[in-house]
Amino acid sequence: MHQELVTLQREIVRSEIFSSESKTQSSDRAMDLGLAEDHFSRPVGSFVASDVEQLKQAIAECKRLILELPEHSEKQKDTVIKLIHLRLKLQELKDPEEDEPNLQVLLEHRFSKEKSKSVKQMCDKCSTIIWGLIQTWYTCTGCYYRCHSKCMNLINKPCVRSKVSHQSEYELSICPEVGLDKQDYRCAECRTPISLRGVPNEARQCDYTGQYYCSSCHWNDTAIIPSRVIHNWEFEPRQVCRTSMRYLALMISRPVLKLKEINPLLFNFVEELVEIRKLRQDILLMKPYFITCKEAMEARLLLHLQDRQHFVENDDMYSLQDLIDTSSGRLSCSLTEIHTTFAKHIKLDCEKCQAKGFMCELCKEGDILFPFDNHTSVCHDCFAVFHRDCYYDNSTTCPRCARMLERQHEESQNP
């Protein structure tokens, strides 16, 4: 079947060349095979075996005529086109589309039948072209695994999304290779015999897992490797196997990287990360203002971060996409804009939020202070806000903490 499809592809290319050269003359030509009529239309209801046999005979006749007719002649060109149409009819009879269910569940995959007639897809099982015009094919709605309907019963790879759901973590060692001997010189996934010499099958290494795969499980796809980003701040895509490619694609937006534990020194060498961390800390300080402000809730200000929900929950967890966008500068620009919008609401637009500001109790001068201002410091015990210069230069304790201690002492003296 594979050879037939390759032959069919070549004939389609030839037919396109032939048809473009002879558009203006096509109406004047007549064919000996009765090309103008559709002798092989699909009958209503079920078809009988004679239909297939007649198509096979007509295909064989077309092949014979193509070889006998003069090369590049008009009749040969028309015969090639007819051959393509006959093969499409034959394939349509062999693979009746209406018999296929719209949804199938297999190995935690949820396969949905595709309606697209595109021929640019490849089957992840047999590694051949999916001819959308004449073949039924499915896509997993979870991991986007694509395959022919005829290949579904041969699938032995579970859905990658299930692994993401149960084990949301990255391999943090850079290309942890163990060697082909540890794999018994077999593909790490399908166990096909492989070797670096390409006999019987070529061994291809996945830069994410460090293991070796056959050409059916490793298509030389590329992806950014999380371990290289975290340890080397390197974003060059590397070759990975198909399973790793899908896993990394599904994991890319998940905040599972705690940088200050995995590689705290990264903040000493990447200035952009320090800036992002400060913006995130400020946003967390702004959050209490929004969740107690009716106007902010009605304006849904926090939805500005709906694509990075973890930014309003903590300041230390990152997704791989966060790091990619940090390196490119996109995250800094977007987060600065959001930070400006949030600060404008609190300090200028909303009187209720302004009323929750602080006066520096140490110097009792200056404007209203907020904990996210650059020139302020916050008491870690009572969260009072002061000018940074005042708070660090003053040798006394926090005035607000002192009042609270005095009040507690008075209450204990006078129960």
Side-chain angles (χ1 to χ4, degrees):
M1 177 62 72
H2 174 67
Q3 187 61 38
E4 289 288 322
L5 290 176
V6 172
T7 305
L8 179 58
Q9 183 183 19
R10 291 173 180 166
E11 290 169 351
I12 287 176
V13 174
R14 289 182 60 191
S15 69
E16 290 176 350
I17 297 173
F18 292 159
S19 60
S20 63
E21 293 175 347
S22 58
K23 273 186 178 179
T24 58
Q25 304 175 13
S26 60
S27 60
D28 299 328
R29 289 187 252 118
M31 296 212 44
D32 297 334
L33 294 175
L35 294 177
E37 295 83 8
D38 188 1
H39 295 293
F40 303 102
S41 295
R42 188 169 184 177
V44 178
S46 60
F47 62 90
V48 293
S50 61
D51 297 323
V52 175
E53 293 302 319
Q54 290 176 13
L55 282 170
K56 289 181 178 179
Q57 292 175 9
I59 289 172
E61 182 68 14
C62 282
K63 288 181 177 179
R64 185 184 64 79
L65 283 175
I66 289 172
L67 295 176
E68 293 179 355
L69 290 170
E71 191 172 358
H72 301 306
S73 66
E74 300 299 335
K75 283 193 174 183
Q76 188 190 53
K77 297 172 186 177
D78 285 336
T79 308
V80 170
I81 296 173
K82 181 60 179 178
L83 175 62
I84 293 170
H85 292 166
L86 290 173
R87 283 188 165 175
L88 290 176
K89 288 287 186 182
L90 179 62
Q91 189 66 39
E92 191 178 37
L93 290 178
K94 287 183 176 181
D95 298 328
E97 184 177 340
E98 59 269 19
D99 294 339
E100 302 288 349
N102 291 325
L103 183 67
Q104 297 194 51
V105 180
L106 179 68
L107 295 177
E108 296 187 323
H109 291 283
R110 292 183 60 85
F111 285 108
S112 176
K113 185 164 68 173
E114 292 290 348
K115 297 180 181 179
S116 171
K117 299 302 181 182
S118 170
V119 296
K120 296 181 181 179
Q121 306 295 342
M122 297 289 290
C123 176
D124 282 301
K125 178 57 186 177
C126 65
S127 305
T128 59
I129 295 176
I130 297 175
W131 296 87
L133 185 64
I134 59 176
Q135 294 177 314
T136 305
W137 59 292
Y138 287 81
T139 299
C140 175
T141 57
C143 67
Y144 308 108
Y145 187 99
R146 299 183 182 92
C147 69
H148 298 102
S149 60
K150 64 181 181 180
C151 295
M152 290 192 62
N153 293 331
L154 304 176
I155 295 174
N156 52 16
K157 301 175 183 177
C159 182
V160 177
R161 184 171 287 277
S162 63
K163 179 182 177 181
V164 173
S165 301
H166 300 123
Q167 185 183 359
S168 295
E169 59 184 17
Y170 286 117
E171 170 60 61
L172 297 180
S173 298
I174 298 178
C175 195
E177 181 180 1
V178 294
L180 269 174
D181 56 333
K182 297 294 184 180
Q183 296 181 206
D184 197 23
Y185 294 90
R186 293 180 179 274
C187 173
E189 193 161 295
C190 68
R191 308 304 295 165
T192 298
I194 55 176
S195 74
L196 293 176
R197 295 192 303 174
V199 181
N201 293 290
E202 177 188 5
R204 299 178 178 178
Q205 187 179 33
C206 172
D207 195 80
Y208 175 68
T209 65
Q211 296 179 307
Y212 290 88
Y213 300 81
C214 66
S215 58
S216 295
C217 299
H218 193 315
W219 294 6
N220 290 330
D221 299 298
T222 59
I224 295 175
I225 309 301
S227 58
R228 294 186 180 275
V229 172
I230 295 170
H231 297 297
N232 298 344
W233 200 243
E234 176 190 336
F235 294 87
E236 180 183 354
R238 303 285 182 137
Q239 291 186 347
V240 294
C241 67
R242 296 291 289 174
T243 299
S244 295
M245 182 197 69
R246 291 194 186 88
Y247 182 76
L248 293 174
L250 292 172
M251 285 285 292
I252 194 168
S253 298
R254 289 181 172 250
V256 297
L257 299 172
K258 199 166 188 177
L259 292 185
K260 67 180 183 181
E261 291 185 0
I262 303 173
N263 184 11
L265 293 178
L266 199 58
F267 291 94
N268 296 339
F269 296 95
V270 183
E271 295 180 1
E272 296 90 339
L273 277 177
V274 178
E275 179 186 1
I276 295 300
R277 181 173 60 182
K278 178 62 171 68
L279 290 170
R280 291 184 63 177
Q281 291 172 346
D282 288 351
I283 287 173
L284 288 178
L285 293 172
M286 296 177 184
K287 180 181 176 181
Y289 290 85
F290 294 147
I291 61 178
T292 58
C293 175
K294 183 179 179 181
E295 293 182 11
M297 296 298 288
E298 290 176 351
R300 298 186 176 183
L301 290 178
L302 289 176
L303 286 182
H304 283 82
L305 290 167
Q306 60 181 338
D307 294 333
R308 304 182 198 267
Q309 189 65 34
H310 52 290
F311 279 16
V312 295
E313 295 173 355
N314 57 70
D315 64 354
D316 57 356
M317 301 300 292
Y318 293 82
S319 68
L320 182 59
Q321 188 64 58
D322 294 337
L323 302 183
I324 294 172
D325 291 343
T326 298
S327 176
S328 67
R330 288 195 298 269
L331 182 58
S332 177
C333 291
S334 63
L335 207 56
T336 300
E337 184 178 346
I338 292 172
H339 183 281
T340 302
T341 301
F342 286 2
K344 181 174 178 292
H345 171 84
I346 296 173
K347 302 176 71 172
L348 299 176
D349 297 342
C350 180
E351 294 182 357
K352 293 181 179 178
C353 290
Q354 290 179 39
K356 298 176 184 176
F358 293 81
M359 289 292 295
C360 179
E361 295 188 41
L362 295 175
C363 69
K364 297 181 173 59
E365 296 178 357
D367 299 328
I368 298 175
L369 305 179
F370 294 90
F372 50 84
D373 288 332
N374 290 329
H375 60 286
T376 61
S377 293
V378 180
C379 174
H380 296 295
D381 296 323
C382 69
F383 304 107
V385 181
F386 308 92
H387 290 115
R388 180 173 298 170
D389 295 338
C390 297
Y391 189 67
Y392 286 112
D393 291 343
N394 196 288
S395 59
T396 60
T397 59
C398 168
R400 190 179 182 189
C401 289
R403 287 198 307 274
M404 293 173 64
L405 288 174
E406 184 178 352
R407 189 179 300 118
Q408 291 176 2
H409 180 70
E410 290 178 354
E411 289 177 353
S412 63
Q413 294 294 328
N414 302 306

